[in-house]
């Protein structure tokens, strides 16, 4: 058992999987350059010591590198391809949306695509183009599993599960949760470190978890928002409101069973998601719960999300953009009728 | 180079099979019995046939939105392709691919990539897998003259070049990206000059001369297999049919089209075979009859084959 940050836990998962299975390799920009920093957030630092030829630094060519990873996956290797910032997924969008997500289907199920994609998300003082939360964008592209670890334990277990999966898996990682150290540390970071077991384990894709039990209202959120939801639940408890916090951990497939069980108990739902409110994760969760569970609900579902604007730079405006504990508490109170 | 009669007739048969397949499909389509849309390759047969003749079992090609010729050249059966075109459950992509995604990896062709240029990085990645596993296999990427202007082409060829991967990039250059002439889309006279920008060999050849294509491809494939890295082959040909269904090709000048018909690859090769005594007219006639019968069998079998169940659409999203 050892305490690890998310960056360390991801690195450990990659190291163990590269040793366990020589088909596993990492491909990305600045991930294994001698004297570099092991990817934008240090996750791949030192992995070239496991196998130099299996840590592949590419030119700045996101569309190209995701296509290269796809070609290798089709031939039976198990690439882990990353972008330095999730925003750059838009550069790779043709390969991700038109090829990675669809080639198995187009082949009539004859081809497997064991490909992992990793992308850092979240507003972190970098302005509009190194900041977006793109989870909802990818919900509309069938053929890609999506996971969002909020803790180091889940980060390691989900990455291992993703590498062993025969379908494309996209992992979103939050920049404020990495726990990157030294020159790569982030101001405003939240501690997401965990005790990591010595033995091998995976976290099943598609399985959520109850982070805190409660009776009055269910709050659901992933990544950084899960941590803010827990902080909100603490504050609500002082007001006598018992909030249950659900971390779905995967968005595709989604653990509807876990969420429905919670909503049946609490009859109230708040969905928290960083990113524009329109067409966001909250919209999909709210629509589905309304469709299936209207009779159980005693209040309208509340969505806490960002305004429909690009991410602003100034800390004052960025804090306005990012959902916070106050707004989560306000939404929860509204479901109860304050 | 001189080639045996057997080898030459095999090339001839493949080209005729592609031509007759395309003509039959066009007819079925115009009759209204075939669903979807089609991009056909009449006139371009020598490029895929010459290139694929240089490949070995285990090599893999990526195709384009105009993939029928590439698929036949690589060795898919016209039966599995015809079933796919009719959307049948036992087509080569089980009815989920159709014309633009024709392919079968077990026969060395990825389901065709119908996003222009999209196959370039993928073929590069296939070659990377061969390299990492130390397998003596080669990837061949077919693209068109339109494909060279996509960013994916630049990114994919550059990575193939810097890592000296076993991949050959073949531009099946029919001079038109849909209706846009290549001269209006590229300043260079020869698309192979692009190769210099990546530090790899590039060559422009007569893509209607099947033996020239074969010889160039053989050299490039051998170099790739031996660790010498990629080659860019610009095989200049001509599409003597529309871009897609019912396209009258009003953008192709009449004179140009007439001239192109004079140098279309099948008749040219037939004349050469007869002149060099490698085939008799009777042998060539026999090939045409046999090919027609093979295609007719495929059509009958495809028409009779069962449709997929509507809900089969829900399968094969995830492994």
């Amino acid at each position: 058992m050892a305490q690890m940050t998310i960056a360390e836990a991801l690195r450990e998962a990659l190291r163990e999987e590269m040793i366990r299975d020589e088909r596993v390799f990492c491909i990305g920009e600045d991930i294994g350059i001698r004297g570099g920093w092991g990817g934008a957030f240090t996750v791949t630092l030192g992995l070239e010591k496991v196998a130099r030829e299996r840590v592949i630094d590419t030119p700045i060519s996101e569309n190209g590198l995701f296509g290269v990873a796809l070609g290798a996956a089709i031939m039976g290797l198990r690439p882990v391809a990353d972008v330095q910032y999730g925003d750059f997924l838009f550069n790779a969008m043709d390969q991700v949306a038109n090829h990675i997500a669809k080639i198995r289907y187009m082949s009539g199920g004859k081809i497997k695509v064991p490909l992992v994609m990793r992308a850092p998300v979240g507003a972190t003082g970098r302005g509009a183009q190194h900041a977006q939360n793109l989870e909802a964008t990818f919900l509309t592209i069938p053929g890609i599993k999506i996971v969002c670890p909020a803790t180091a334990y889940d980060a390691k277990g989900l990455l291992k599960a993703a590498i062993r999966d025969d379908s494309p898996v996209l992992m979103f990682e939050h920049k404020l949760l990495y726990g990157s150290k030294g020159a790569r540390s982030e101001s405003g970071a939240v501690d997401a470190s965990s005790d990591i077991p010595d033995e091998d384990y995976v976290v099943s894709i598609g399985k959520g978890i109850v982070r805190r039990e409660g009776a009055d209202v269910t709050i659901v959120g992933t990544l950084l928002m899960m941590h803010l939801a827990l902080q909100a639940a603490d504050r609500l408890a002082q007001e006598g409101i018992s909030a249950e916090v659900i971390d779905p951990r995967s968005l595709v497939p989604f653990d509807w069973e876990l969420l429905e069980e919670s909503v049946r108990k609490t009859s109230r739902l708040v969905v928290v998601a960083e990113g524009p409110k329109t067409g966001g994760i909250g919209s999909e969760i709210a629509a589905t719960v309304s469709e299936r569970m209207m009779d159980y609900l005693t209040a309208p579902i509340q969505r806490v999300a960002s305004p429909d604007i690009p991410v602003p730079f100034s800390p004052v405006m960025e804090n306005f953009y990012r959902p916070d504990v106050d707004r989560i508490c306000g939404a929860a109170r509204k479901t109860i009728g304050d | 180079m001189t080639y045996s009669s057997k080898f030459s007739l095999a090339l001839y048969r493949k080209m005729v099979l592609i031509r007759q397949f395309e003509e039959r499909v066009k007819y079925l389509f115009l009759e209204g019995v075939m669903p979807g849309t089609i991009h056909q390759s009449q006139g371009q047969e020598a490029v895929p046939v010459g290139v694929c003749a240089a490949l070995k079992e285990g090599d893999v090609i990526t195709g384009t939105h105009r993939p029928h010729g590439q698929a036949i050249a690589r060795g898919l059966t016209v039966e599995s392709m015809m079933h796919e075109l009719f959307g049948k459950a036992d087509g080569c992509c089980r009815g989920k691919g159709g014309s633009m995604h024709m392919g079968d990896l077990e026969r060395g062709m990825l389901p065709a990539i119908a996003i222009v240029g999209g196959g370039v990085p993928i073929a590069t990645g296939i070659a990377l897998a061969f390299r990492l596993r130390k397998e003596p296999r080669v990837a061949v990427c077919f693209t068109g003259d339109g494909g060279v202007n996509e960013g994916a082409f630049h990114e994919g060829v550059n990575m193939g070049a810097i890592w000296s991967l076993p991949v050959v990039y073949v531009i099946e250059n029919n001079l038109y990206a849909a209706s846009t002439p290549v001269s209006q889309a590229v300043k260079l006279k020869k698309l192979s000059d692009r190769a210099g920008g990546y530090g790899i060999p590039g060559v422009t050849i007569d893509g209607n001369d099947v033996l020239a294509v074969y010889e160039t491809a053989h050299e490039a494939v051998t170099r790739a297999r031996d660790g010498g890295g990629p080659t860019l082959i610009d095989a200049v040909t001509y599409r003597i049919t529309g871009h897609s269904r019912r396209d009258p090709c009003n953008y192709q000048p009449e004179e140009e089209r007439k001239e192109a018909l004079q140098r279309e690859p099948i008749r040219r090769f037939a004349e050469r075979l007869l002149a060099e005594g490698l085939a008799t007219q009777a042998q060539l006639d026999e090939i045409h009859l046999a090919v027609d019968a093979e295609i007719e069998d495929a059509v009958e079998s495809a028409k009779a084959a069962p449709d997929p169940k509507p809900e089969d659409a829900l399968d094969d999203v995830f492994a």
Side-chain angles (χ1 to χ4, degrees):
Chain A
M1 192 79 89
Q3 179 90 3
M4 287 187 197
T5 63
I6 285 187
E8 290 163 345
L10 290 170
R11 192 182 306 138
E12 209 42 39
L14 289 168
R15 185 197 315 281
E16 289 174 14
E17 290 302 292
M18 284 173 70
I19 291 167
R20 187 186 63 80
D21 183 347
E22 63 178 23
R23 296 173 300 177
V24 177
F25 72 95
C26 297
I27 182 166
E29 297 160 355
D30 296 300
I31 64 172
I33 298 286
R34 205 175 303 246
W37 48 83
F41 296 93
T42 73
V43 171
T44 51
L45 192 65
L47 289 180
E48 69 277 4
K49 287 173 199 143
V50 178
R52 177 68 265 187
E53 73 283 5
R54 285 193 280 137
V55 180
I56 299 177
D57 286 293
T58 73
I60 303 296
S61 301
E62 290 83 10
N63 197 40
L65 85 87
F66 276 76
V68 165
L70 171 60
I74 288 167
M75 297 318 296
L77 299 186
R78 306 186 87 84
V80 181
D82 71 82
V83 283
Q84 306 187 73
Y85 291 86
D87 312 70
F88 308 167
L89 283 173
F90 283 125
N91 292 63
M93 211 56 176
D94 176 50
Q95 287 298 330
V96 176
N98 282 326
H99 308 293
I100 290 170
K102 294 178 175 59
I103 201 142
R104 172 178 174 77
Y105 191 79
M106 283 160 23
S107 77
K110 292 182 178 177
I111 288 174
K112 288 178 182 164
V113 181
L115 167 57
V116 180
M117 299 170 275
R118 299 181 35 245
V121 294
T124 51
R126 291 170 165 93
Q129 295 178 336
H130 292 65
Q132 295 165 89
N133 281 75
L134 298 172
E135 298 92 303
T137 303
F138 288 88
L139 286 182
T140 62
I141 304 168
I144 301 171
K145 297 181 181 180
I146 301 176
V147 296
C148 300
T151 69
Y153 180 91
D154 284 354
K156 186 177 181 195
L158 282 170
L159 184 52
K160 285 190 158 222
I163 289 170
R164 297 175 194 184
D165 201 289
D166 282 334
S167 295
V169 181
L170 174 54
M171 175 178 275
F172 287 110
E173 302 159 7
H174 202 289
K175 286 173 282 217
L176 294 182
L177 299 182
Y178 275 122
S180 308
K181 289 172 181 163
R184 305 304 299 174
S185 66
E186 292 287 316
S187 89
V190 171
D191 181 14
S193 59
S194 312
D195 287 330
I196 303 293
D198 295 329
E199 61 274 15
D200 182 52
Y201 71 95
V202 295
V203 171
S204 297
I205 297 172
K207 283 284 171 214
I209 189 169
V210 179
R211 293 287 181 196
R212 176 187 175 120
E213 291 198 16
D216 300 329
V217 57
T218 299
I219 306 176
V220 56
T222 61
L223 297 172
L224 179 67
M225 294 301 112
M226 194 288 291
H227 292 271
L228 300 192
L230 282 177
Q231 291 172 26
D234 277 343
R235 193 186 295 175
L236 290 164
Q238 292 163 17
E239 303 170 18
I241 296 171
S242 165
E244 176 145 305
V245 176
I246 299 279
D247 177 1
R249 300 195 285 197
S250 301
L251 296 175
V252 179
F254 193 88
D255 193 346
W256 293 111
E257 208 175 310
L258 184 76
L259 182 61
E260 287 178 24
E261 196 182 316
S262 177
V263 173
R264 268 195 293 273
K265 180 170 69 174
T266 63
S267 79
R268 300 177 185 93
L269 178 61
V270 174
V271 190
V272 193
E274 185 176 353
K277 188 171 186 178
T278 301
I281 295 165
S283 311
E284 188 55 36
I285 293 175
T288 304
V289 171
S290 304
E291 206 168 57
R292 296 184 185 181
M293 309 189 68
M294 198 56 146
D295 294 345
Y296 289 94
L297 294 170
T298 55
I301 297 167
Q302 296 297 309
R303 286 180 292 158
V304 181
S306 304
D308 293 339
I309 56 173
V311 181
F313 166 67
S314 161
V316 173
M317 292 191 286
E318 189 185 84
N319 289 336
F320 170 78
Y321 175 89
R322 187 191 302 108
D324 61 15
V325 174
D326 281 347
R327 285 162 61 197
I328 299 169
C329 289
R333 286 187 210 107
K334 201 168 173 187
T335 65
I336 289 174
D338 51 344
Chain B
M1 280 289 288
T2 54
Y3 298 94
S4 71
S5 171
K6 189 180 167 200
F7 177 78
S8 305
L9 285 173
L11 295 182
Y12 184 77
R13 189 183 196 285
K14 280 264 168 153
M15 290 203 292
V16 173
L17 187 58
I18 294 170
R19 176 73 56 88
Q20 298 306 97
F21 180 87
E22 295 284 45
E23 288 297 321
R24 187 73 181 92
V25 164
K26 188 173 195 170
Y27 189 69
L28 287 163
F29 191 82
L30 293 174
E31 274 186 315
V33 297
M34 183 172 276
T37 189
I38 41 171
H39 300 93
Q40 302 201 288
S41 63
Q42 288 95 322
Q44 305 180 194
E45 296 87 351
V47 180
V49 168
V51 169
C52 290
L55 300 182
K56 293 183 177 171
E57 196 178 339
D59 294 342
V60 174
I61 70 167
T62 63
T64 65
H65 63 289
R66 196 179 303 288
H68 302 170
Q70 297 148 4
I72 290 172
R74 188 65 188 114
L76 270 77
T77 65
V78 293
E79 187 186 2
S80 73
M81 291 173 62
M82 197 66 83
H83 284 230
E84 186 62 30
L85 287 171
F86 274 95
K88 297 304 176 96
D90 58 356
C92 59
C93 300
R94 296 178 184 154
K96 290 202 167 98
S99 170
M100 279 196 274
H101 304 307
M102 200 62 77
D104 186 347
L105 191 53
E106 282 175 16
R107 289 181 179 264
M109 179 182 182
L110 201 61
I113 302 296
I115 302 290
V116 173
V120 181
I122 300 172
T124 304
I126 290 171
L128 176 67
F130 297 159
R131 161 68 51 77
L132 286 174
R133 283 212 290 238
K134 301 181 171 63
E135 295 170 338
R137 301 163 73 182
V138 174
V140 171
C141 174
F142 285 96
T143 187
D145 49 283
V148 305
N149 293 324
E150 287 281 2
F153 177 89
H154 169 66
E155 296 186 17
V157 174
N158 185 51
M159 279 189 262
I162 58 175
W163 299 327
S164 287
L165 294 177
V167 54
V168 177
Y169 304 104
V170 178
I171 306 167
E172 193 173 316
N173 179 358
N174 66 16
L175 306 183
Y176 289 89
S179 66
T180 303
V182 65
S183 58
Q184 200 175 311
V186 179
K187 183 120 176 169
L188 298 169
K189 290 271 178 271
K190 293 191 304 184
L191 295 182
S192 58
D193 286 349
R194 287 272 175 98
Y198 304 105
I200 61 171
V203 57
T204 291
I205 57 169
D206 179 354
N208 279 7
D209 177 346
V210 69
L211 292 177
V213 174
Y214 168 73
E215 283 163 15
T216 307
H218 187 269
E219 185 187 329
V221 167
T222 304
R223 178 163 52 233
R225 208 183 301 283
D226 293 347
T231 304
L232 180 64
I233 299 174
D234 169 29
V236 181
T237 179
Y238 199 82
R239 165 164 55 73
I240 57 174
T241 188
H243 161 69
S244 62
R245 53 182 175 175
R246 302 190 192 94
D247 168 19
C249 299
N250 291 334
Y251 46 86
Q252 292 180 340
E254 193 58 39
E255 276 309 304
E256 179 186 281
R257 218 178 332 178
K258 268 191 206 154
E259 192 271 331
L261 281 170
Q262 292 308 308
R263 54 177 203 96
E264 68 87 10
I266 294 179
R267 188 168 42 174
R268 258 175 74 183
F269 195 45
E271 284 165 2
R272 179 166 171 178
L273 291 176
L274 294 170
E276 293 181 5
L278 287 166
T280 63
Q281 187 60 49
Q283 279 176 305
L284 301 185
D285 291 346
E286 198 180 317
I287 284 175
H288 282 258
L289 287 172
V291 160
D292 282 346
E294 183 179 342
I295 292 168
E296 236 17 71
D297 285 349
V299 172
E300 290 313 310
S301 133
K303 283 180 173 172
D307 283 326
K309 295 194 291 294
E311 61 273 23
D312 290 345
L314 300 174
D315 299 336
D316 304 323
V317 179
F318 292 112

